[in-house]
């Protein structure tokens, strides 16, 4: 009996050791938690952590709330997995990088104080630089980057954007937009690199490694990759067909065969998945009448299963509410539809108590299966471990100087230069030569137009706020086109500037002006508010063009997020430059106008004569644009003094 007792005691001791080890505690009392061990494979860490989580903790990971709600108490109570800044949502007016970091650190401490200590992932729309942050470098919007035809430049911009986001403590950006915009009437068209799928693919394959870091050739396809604490998790958006809606109306219906959807709009997502993109955001739009946020076939069967995407899928802002024509009606059912479709994280962003309660109730009742919840949380945790958030949850104070860094501004200036597309360079009325490049030693010049001296208009939407705004104080640093012209020309050159010129005054002095630079264009907008069915140059642009260009040799610089109808004024202009939405570095415009660098940009999209031709895209059988896709006159650098 003693021997048997001893054997039983030994067996019991072994079982006890196994039980203790499984609980994460050694006999000596030192704790070992597998998911906290960075030497363990990510898959093992995810499985270990998932096995420890309650339903409440899992649903918390699937919940993304807006910064303004994210008190420590809320984060702790709801086990919040993610926080975001909506467009224009900042810690304080003109908040410094340090202030951003302090805010995110406080939130992170709250998350880490919970039972399992799962860090939050903080996201923001850094779509042309860290555009919510004061003093950030604002790069040209994607339509301008498409005009550069320079993937290496775009990769560098992704890298700089990642550093400026990290400077403010933000490790996750809702970028890039990989839409293939097929109709410029869409207000989000400037977020698209091009109407051409192949060009969008090239830029997608460049910008994601810029943001997230380079994946190795042996990296498993579809597994998210973020190359350390100086990179950020990216988000390819908006899946799928957002750029193909009827009449270019935001969140409208994309009517296409499956073949054409896969041929035109899906390829950039293949590139994003191959490059290890961390997340993919779903579009508000529908495909053949089915809203994308409830399209299980495309989200689960195509994206997750066929394309092997292993990151997480996130909704757009309040997208669950918008599944119904009357927003938030049948919210309970809308939650079920989106989660069943394959959504992993919901950008709530305000009604989180209701969202959590409704999702919890459906899980408890079995109407949403635990397997679906576990899949969602597994994907979210996989990204967090891939980012190194468990090892480095807090912002890096040494990176604050990266916000608006000089090197990034020089990079943005280069991007502006390469993005400008010269559409017309007709012979001047007096000297018989092309107008561009302009002389720096002119005696007297005229600069006019609403967009000549306004950084807000120069940057466009998604700058400081969602829709953008006018004014020179909104971005902090930056150079307007007027300021850049003043810096470029000879000190003896007299510059007359006015937003709204008086024709009589121009006529009186027309013989004194060597030339005029007319800078007009669109006012800032984002999708929906920016949908435009006529695409005319907004007033007073046409009037300014006529007043000045009928009297003085003129260069028109058009600041816009898309091609506008210019044919009625084209004969009046001596030269026309498409400047897109260049951002804060106006020096890049002057660099090319005055010949320090040549024009090299090519149209990333077709420039139609009138909206009656839309939709018209490169490759269409009927194709008679004003300027075709890929058009762009070139000039050589010159010392035209």
């Amino acid at each position: 009996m003693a021997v048997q007792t001893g054997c039983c005691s030994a067996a019991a001791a072994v079982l006890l050791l196994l039980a203790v080890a499984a609980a994460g505690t050694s006999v000596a009392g030192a704790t070992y938690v597998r998911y906290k061990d960075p030497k363990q494979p990510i898959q093992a860490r995810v499985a270990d952590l998932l096995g420890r989580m309650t339903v409440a903790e899992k649903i918390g990971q699937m919940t993304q709330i807006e910064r303004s709600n994210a008190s420590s108490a809320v984060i702790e109570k709801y086990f919040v997995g993610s926080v975001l800044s909506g467009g224009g949502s900042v810690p304080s007016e003109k908040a410094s990088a340090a202030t951003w970091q302090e805010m995110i650190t406080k939130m992170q401490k709250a998350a880490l104080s919970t039972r399992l200590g799962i860090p939050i992932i903080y996201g923001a729309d850094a779509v042309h630089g860290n555009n919510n942050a004061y003093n950030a470098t604002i790069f040209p919007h994607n339509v301008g980057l498409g005009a550069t035809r320079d993937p290496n430049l775009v990769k560098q911009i992704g890298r700089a954007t990642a550093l400026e986001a990290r400077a403010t403590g933000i490790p996750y950006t809702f970028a890039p937009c990989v839409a293939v915009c097929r109709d410029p009437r869409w207000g989000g068209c400037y977020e698209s690199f091009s109407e051409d799928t192949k060009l969008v693919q090239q830029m997608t394959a460049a910008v994601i490694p810029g943001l997230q870091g380079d994946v190795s050739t042996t990296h498993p396809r579809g597994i998210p990759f973020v190359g350390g604490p100086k990179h950020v998790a990216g988000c390819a958006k908006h899946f799928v067909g957002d750029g193909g809606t009827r009449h270019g109306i935001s969140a409208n219906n994309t009517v296409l065969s499956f073949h054409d959807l896969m041929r035109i709009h899906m390829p950039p997502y293949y590139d994003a998945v191959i490059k290890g993109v961390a997340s993919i955001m779903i579009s508000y739009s529908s495909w053949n009448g089915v809203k994308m946020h409830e399209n299980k076939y495309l989200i689960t069967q195509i994206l997750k299963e066929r394309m092997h995407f292993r990151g997480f899928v996130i909704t757009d802002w309040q997208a669950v509410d918008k599944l119904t024509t009357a927003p938030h009606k049948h919210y309970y059912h809308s939650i079920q539809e989106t989660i069943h479709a394959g959504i992993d994280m919901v950008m709530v962003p305000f009604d989180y108590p209701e969202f959590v309660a409704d999702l919890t109730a459906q899980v408890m009742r079995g109407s949403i299966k635990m397997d679906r919840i576990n899949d969602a949380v597994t994907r979210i945790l996989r990204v967090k471990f891939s980012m190194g958030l468990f090892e480095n949850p807090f912002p890096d104070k040494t990176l604050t100087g990266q916000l608006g860094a000089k090197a990034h501004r020089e990079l943005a200036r280069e991007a502006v230069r390469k993005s400008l597309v010269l559409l017309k360079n007709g012979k001047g009325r007096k000297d018989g030569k092309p107008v561009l490049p302009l002389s720096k030693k002119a005696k007297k010049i005229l600069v006019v137009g609403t967009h000549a001296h306004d950084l807000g208009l120069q940057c466009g939407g998604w700058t400081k706020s969602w829709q953008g705004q006018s004014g020179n104080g909104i971005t902090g640093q930056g150079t307007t086109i007027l300021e850049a012209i003043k810096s470029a020309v000879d000190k003896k050159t007299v510059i007359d500037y006015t937003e709204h010129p008086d024709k009589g005054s121009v006529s009186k002095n027309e013989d004194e002006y060597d030339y005029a630079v007319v800078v007009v264009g669109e006012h800032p907008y984002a999708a929906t508010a920016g949908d435009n069915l006529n695409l005319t140059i907004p007033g007073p642009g046409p009037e300014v063009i006529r007043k000045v260009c009928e009297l003085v040799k003129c260069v028109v610089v058009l600041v816009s997020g898309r091609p506008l109808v210019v044919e009625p004024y084209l004969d009046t202009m001596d030269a026309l430059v498409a400047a897109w939405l260049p951002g804060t570095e106006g020096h890049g415009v002057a660099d090319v106008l005055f010949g320090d660098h040549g024009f090299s940009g090519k149209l990333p999209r077709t420039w139609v004569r009138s909206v009656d031709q839309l939709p018209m895209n490169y490759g269409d059988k009927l194709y008679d644009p004003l300027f075709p896709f890929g058009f762009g006159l070139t000039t050589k650098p010159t010392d035209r003094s």
Side-chain angles (χ1 to χ4, degrees):
M1 291 293 293
V3 173
Q4 290 178 343
T5 302
C7 290
C8 291
S9 299
V14 170
L15 290 172
L16 178 61
L17 285 170
L18 290 173
V20 169
T25 308
S26 70
V27 176
T31 58
Y32 174 77
V33 180
R34 194 175 191 188
Y35 76 84
K36 293 184 178 181
D37 183 357
K39 295 180 181 180
Q40 293 293 315
I42 288 176
Q43 184 176 350
R45 299 178 75 184
V46 170
D48 180 65
L49 178 52
L50 187 70
R52 299 168 185 266
M53 296 173 72
T54 64
V55 171
E57 288 165 334
K58 291 175 180 178
I59 289 174
Q61 286 302 300
M62 298 172 67
T63 307
Q64 185 180 67
I65 67 173
E66 215 285 323
R67 176 203 63 81
S68 57
N69 302 317
S71 66
S72 296
V74 167
I75 291 171
E76 292 170 17
K77 178 179 178 180
Y78 291 94
F79 306 104
V80 171
S82 184
V83 179
L84 84 151
S85 276
S89 180
V90 297
S92 60
E93 186 72 15
K94 300 182 180 180
S96 66
T99 300
W100 276 94
Q101 288 201 7
E102 289 167 6
M103 176 191 71
I104 293 172
T105 296
K106 183 179 179 180
M107 294 177 186
Q108 200 65 280
K109 285 181 177 179
L112 296 177
S113 72
T114 59
R115 186 178 71 93
L116 295 173
I118 305 174
I120 61 164
I121 179 172
Y122 194 103
D125 287 277
V127 297
H128 61 144
N130 188 8
N131 42 259
N132 261 354
Y134 190 71
N135 279 330
T137 306
I138 305 299
F139 293 94
H141 268 295
N142 284 353
V143 65
L145 299 185
T148 69
R149 299 298 201 277
D150 190 340
N152 184 58
L153 174 67
V154 170
K155 182 178 181 178
Q156 292 180 63
I157 289 171
R159 179 79 178 105
T161 299
L163 284 170
E164 296 212 14
R166 285 287 193 173
T168 54
I170 296 171
Y172 175 35
T173 63
F174 305 127
C177 177
V178 301
V180 181
C181 177
R182 304 290 282 180
D183 193 323
R185 289 174 290 192
W186 179 38
C189 201
Y190 63 80
E191 296 184 59
S192 166
F193 291 111
S194 178
E195 71 186 38
D196 179 63
T197 302
K198 290 183 179 178
L199 182 53
V200 175
Q201 286 185 269
Q202 290 173 5
M203 297 308 183
T204 299
V207 71
I208 289 174
L211 291 166
Q212 297 193 161
D214 290 300
V215 295
S216 69
T217 55
T218 59
H219 186 76
R221 179 178 176 178
I223 300 296
F225 173 84
V226 181
K230 292 184 180 180
H231 288 93
V232 294
C235 181
K237 65 184 187 182
H238 308 82
F239 186 88
V240 57
D242 53 339
T245 60
R246 299 189 71 178
H247 307 300
I249 297 173
S250 294
N252 202 5
N253 193 21
T254 297
V255 181
L256 282 177
S257 67
F258 177 72
H259 173 77
D260 284 342
L261 183 76
M262 298 299 288
R263 178 179 63 87
I264 297 169
H265 298 283
M266 192 66 79
Y269 290 97
Y270 277 96
D271 291 274
V273 170
I274 289 169
K275 295 298 181 180
V277 74
S279 67
I280 290 178
M281 183 183 291
I282 304 302
S283 175
Y284 288 127
S285 61
S286 302
W287 174 51
N288 293 336
V290 179
K291 286 187 176 292
M292 278 305 310
H293 277 87
E294 55 186 359
N295 197 317
K296 184 175 182 178
Y297 173 66
L298 289 177
I299 296 173
T300 297
Q301 293 180 240
I302 299 298
L303 177 62
K304 290 185 172 183
E305 295 174 4
R306 184 185 297 184
M307 295 170 64
H308 305 289
F309 175 61
R310 296 293 180 264
F312 67 83
V313 174
I314 186 171
T315 72
D316 207 334
W317 177 274
Q318 286 185 323
V320 175
D321 304 64
K322 296 178 181 180
L323 279 184
T324 48
T325 302
H328 204 76
K329 189 176 183 180
H330 309 307
Y331 188 60
Y332 187 94
H333 177 71
S334 295
I335 291 172
Q336 184 181 101
E337 288 295 306
T338 52
I339 302 302
H340 276 162
I343 297 295
D344 303 312
M345 183 181 287
V346 175
M347 191 183 292
V348 177
F350 300 115
D351 297 321
Y352 55 90
E354 182 180 3
F355 170 77
V356 169
D358 284 358
L359 181 53
T360 301
Q362 295 188 65
V363 171
M364 294 304 185
R365 291 171 184 171
S367 55
I368 294 178
K369 302 301 183 184
M370 186 55 70
D371 284 351
R372 175 74 271 274
I373 299 299
N374 287 341
D375 172 63
V377 178
T378 293
R379 291 168 176 275
I380 294 164
L381 295 178
R382 183 182 291 130
V383 170
K384 290 186 176 185
F385 281 120
S386 299
M387 296 172 66
L389 268 182
F390 284 79
E391 288 69 55
N392 297 289
F394 296 113
D396 184 346
K397 294 180 180 179
T398 67
L399 293 179
T400 56
Q402 293 290 337
L403 186 67
K406 183 178 179 181
H408 300 162
R409 295 190 175 277
E410 287 299 318
L411 180 65
R413 182 172 178 171
E414 177 186 354
V416 174
R417 290 196 296 262
K418 291 182 175 180
S419 71
L420 301 182
V421 179
L422 180 57
L423 298 174
K424 179 180 179 180
N425 193 17
K427 294 182 179 180
R429 293 191 177 97
K430 296 181 180 179
D431 57 17
K433 298 179 182 179
V435 177
L436 294 167
L438 298 171
S439 171
K440 295 181 180 180
K441 293 189 176 180
K443 292 182 179 179
K444 190 174 185 179
I445 65 176
L446 177 64
V447 180
V448 300
T450 50
H451 290 58
H453 190 48
D454 193 309
L455 278 172
L457 301 185
Q458 197 169 295
C459 292
W462 286 112
T463 308
K464 188 181 179 182
S465 61
W466 174 35
Q467 295 292 330
Q469 60 197 85
S470 63
N472 284 330
I474 67 169
T475 61
Q477 302 181 62
T479 304
T480 66
I481 294 171
L482 173 65
E483 290 168 337
I485 291 172
K486 289 180 176 180
S487 178
V489 298
D490 190 90
K491 293 181 180 179
K492 296 180 180 179
T493 299
V494 176
I495 300 176
D496 284 352
Y497 163 69
T498 178
E499 272 192 38
H500 307 287
D502 175 75
K503 189 169 184 178
S505 177
V506 175
S507 177
K508 184 178 179 180
N509 295 283
E510 63 177 295
D511 292 334
E512 298 179 15
Y513 294 125
D514 290 86
Y515 53 80
V517 179
V518 180
V519 192
V520 294
E522 293 186 296
H523 292 274
Y525 57 83
T528 304
D531 293 350
N532 186 330
L533 298 181
N534 58 56
L535 296 183
T536 55
I537 300 174
E543 181 185 2
V544 172
I545 291 170
R546 287 195 176 101
K547 282 181 179 179
V548 175
C549 295
E550 288 176 356
L551 298 171
V552 182
K553 180 169 64 177
C554 77
V555 176
V556 174
V557 178
L558 187 63
V559 177
S560 67
R562 53 198 162 190
L564 301 178
V565 177
V566 298
E567 192 172 34
Y569 325 106
L570 195 58
D571 288 343
T572 309
M573 308 172 188
D574 292 287
L576 173 61
V577 177
W580 313 112
L581 298 169
T584 51
E585 305 314 300
H587 281 301
V589 177
D591 288 342
V592 183
L593 289 181
F594 292 97
D596 293 329
H597 295 263
F599 280 92
S600 61
K602 302 296 180 184
L603 285 180
R605 51 181 319 101
T606 298
W607 202 295
V608 297
R609 301 174 186 276
S610 74
V611 293
D612 295 333
Q613 294 182 299
L614 293 172
M616 178 186 284
N617 293 283
Y618 174 66
D620 289 354
K621 290 181 180 179
L622 297 176
Y623 192 71
D624 180 32
L626 182 62
F627 301 109
F629 171 84
F631 179 82
L633 302 173
T634 59
T635 61
K636 294 181 179 180
T638 180
D639 180 19
R640 190 169 179 179
S641 57

